[in-house]
Amino acid sequence: MNSIKLNDISLQLCKPSAVNALYHKSDQALPSLDILHKIISLLKSVIFPGYFGNENLSPDTLHYHMTAHLDNVHQLLTSQLIAGLCFDCKKSRCLGCEKEGREAANQFMLNLPELRDMLSGDVLAAYEGDPAAKSPGETIFCYPSITAMFHHRIAHAIYKLDMPLIPRIIAEMSHSSTGIDIHPGAQIGKNFFIDHGTGVVIGETCIIGNGCRIYQGVTLGALSFPKNENGTLIKGVPRHPILEDNVIVYAGATILGRVTIGSGAVIGGNVWITNNVSPGARIAQEHNANN
């Protein structure tokens, strides 16, 4: 067998025409997946103390361990937000990115009590919404909905601070493990529950009210993607559904475009909706969303 000429292969792979679009210059800051995973792990110990981490917590030691975790999160998150900003501006740790990243990390830490309250509501919604759940703790350990919402609440909090890249990485950590795809820009209210979860898609500009519940295979997506005169997609345009409070969407339903599903409406399984739905309406397969 002829020997493989690795040098020739390397020369082909290093041609500017082949590598320019994919090459990351080594002098530019780059976020670390390992550090981001560690941040998520530490935040689990902060948000759900006693469930995660190796410490034997007691009322006497809780404050000590909590403060230590918060200090670690703050330092690591600051470095990652700065790296994300530098990656976006294509410079190496410029002073502007340093300042903006530190301020954003400080604000995120201040938002943690509110974030925990939101996640506590999600846990309660999962426990109360599923007769198979034996305790709230079971949902924390086992339910993909809680994993997905834990990542989403964190990613969304960072997204609102106008930080690039990092929210998407955090969101995709959960997507890959749960099969639930939630863009960090989606606005999701209190007490949200995704039952089963696999195959759920929630788009960037979705707005979901309080007390909503959706099931596996639900898509809250865009009906079309507007383009400018050059044919380039226009970013940031509201294009995903709005679910008002206490809406239920059953398995396999697809809701597309900037439509509003009114408060208390129930959307049956496998329906396709591209129009507004009145508050309290019941939409099943044999009905049209215009009715």
Side-chain angles (χ1 to χ4, degrees), residues 210-269:
N210 298 324
C212 292
R213 177 162 31 116
I214 65 177
Y215 286 77
Q216 71 272 17
V218 166
T219 296
L220 305 179
L223 183 61
S224 62
F225 301 96
K227 298 180 180 180
N228 60 25
E229 62 276 6
N230 298 321
T232 303
L233 289 177
I234 300 173
K235 307 289 186 177
V237 176
R239 60 195 183 278
H240 299 99
I242 298 171
L243 273 57
E244 295 183 342
D245 294 347
N246 302 310
V247 168
I248 300 175
V249 185
Y250 282 100
T254 298
I255 307 173
L256 301 179
R258 194 60 162 186
V259 299
T260 297
I261 310 301
S263 179
V266 176
I267 308 302

Side-chain angles (χ1 to χ4, degrees), residues 9 71 111-112 158 166 187 212 223 228 232 254 276:
I9 297 172
D71 181 63
N111 292 340
L112 275 174
I158 298 172
I166 302 303
Q187 301 175 48
C212 292
L223 183 61
N228 60 25
T232 303
T254 298
N276 293 338

Side-chain angles (χ1 to χ4, degrees), residues 1-281:
M1 179 181 291
N2 294 330
S3 61
I4 298 174
K5 296 181 178 180
L6 297 180
N7 184 63
D8 291 345
I9 297 172
S10 178
L11 287 172
Q12 293 180 56
L13 291 172
C14 290
K15 288 180 180 178
S17 60
V19 77
N20 280 350
L22 302 174
Y23 176 55
H24 178 77
K25 296 180 180 179
S26 59
D27 63 341
Q28 293 175 3
L30 192 67
S32 164
L33 292 176
D34 288 340
I35 292 176
L36 287 169
H37 277 291
K38 184 173 183 180
I39 290 169
I40 293 298
S41 179
L42 288 166
L43 284 171
K44 283 183 177 180
S45 297
V46 169
I47 301 298
F48 302 123
Y51 286 95
F52 301 99
N54 298 321
E55 304 90 355
N56 292 318
L57 296 181
S58 69
D60 293 331
T61 63
L62 178 60
H63 181 259
Y64 167 79
H65 288 295
M66 186 74 72
T67 303
H69 288 325
L70 290 173
D71 181 63
N72 207 352
V73 167
H74 186 225
Q75 293 185 46
L76 295 174
L77 182 62
T78 299
S79 72
Q80 293 306 291
L81 294 183
I82 293 170
L85 286 162
C86 290
F87 179 87
D88 194 56
C89 78
K90 297 178 174 57
K91 296 179 182 177
S92 181
R93 297 190 74 84
C94 62
L95 293 178
C97 292
E98 291 264 2
K99 181 176 184 293
E100 190 176 352
R102 292 185 185 281
E103 290 175 352
N106 290 344
Q107 186 57 54
F108 175 84
M109 302 303 290
L110 291 172
N111 292 340
L112 275 174
E114 179 184 359
L115 193 151
R116 182 204 255 181
D117 288 344
M118 296 289 283
L119 284 164
S120 295
D122 297 331
V123 169
L124 188 61
Y127 172 61
E128 293 180 346
D130 185 1
K134 300 298 189 292
S135 69
E138 182 179 345
T139 71
I140 292 172
F141 276 128
C142 305
Y143 279 41
S145 176
I146 301 305
T147 299
M149 289 308 299
F150 181 84
H151 284 75
H152 176 72
R153 299 290 189 197
I154 293 168
H156 183 65
I158 298 172
Y159 179 92
K160 290 195 298 181
L161 297 171
D162 202 25
M163 292 292 102
L165 189 58
I166 302 303
R168 289 302 303 271
I169 294 175
I170 293 173
E172 289 306 317
M173 289 178 184
S174 171
H175 182 196
S176 63
S177 64
T178 66
I180 299 170
D181 183 2
I182 310 177
H183 192 282
Q187 301 175 48
I188 301 178
K190 299 177 181 178
N191 305 321
F192 182 62
F193 178 40
I194 306 172
D195 205 351
H196 304 296
T198 305
V200 164
V201 177
I202 301 176
E204 176 187 16
T205 62
C206 274
I207 299 175
I208 299 176
N210 298 324
C212 292
R213 177 162 31 116
I214 65 177
Y215 286 77
Q216 71 272 17
V218 166
T219 296
L220 305 179
L223 183 61
S224 62
F225 301 96
K227 298 180 180 180
N228 60 25
E229 62 276 6
N230 298 321
T232 303
L233 289 177
I234 300 173
K235 307 289 186 177
V237 176
R239 60 195 183 278
H240 299 99
I242 298 171
L243 273 57
E244 295 183 342
D245 294 347
N246 302 310
V247 168
I248 300 175
V249 185
Y250 282 100
T254 298
I255 307 173
L256 301 179
R258 194 60 162 186
V259 299
T260 297
I261 310 301
S263 179
V266 176
I267 308 302
N270 299 312
V271 298
W272 182 280
I273 293 177
T274 57
N275 295 282
N276 293 338
V277 172
S278 300

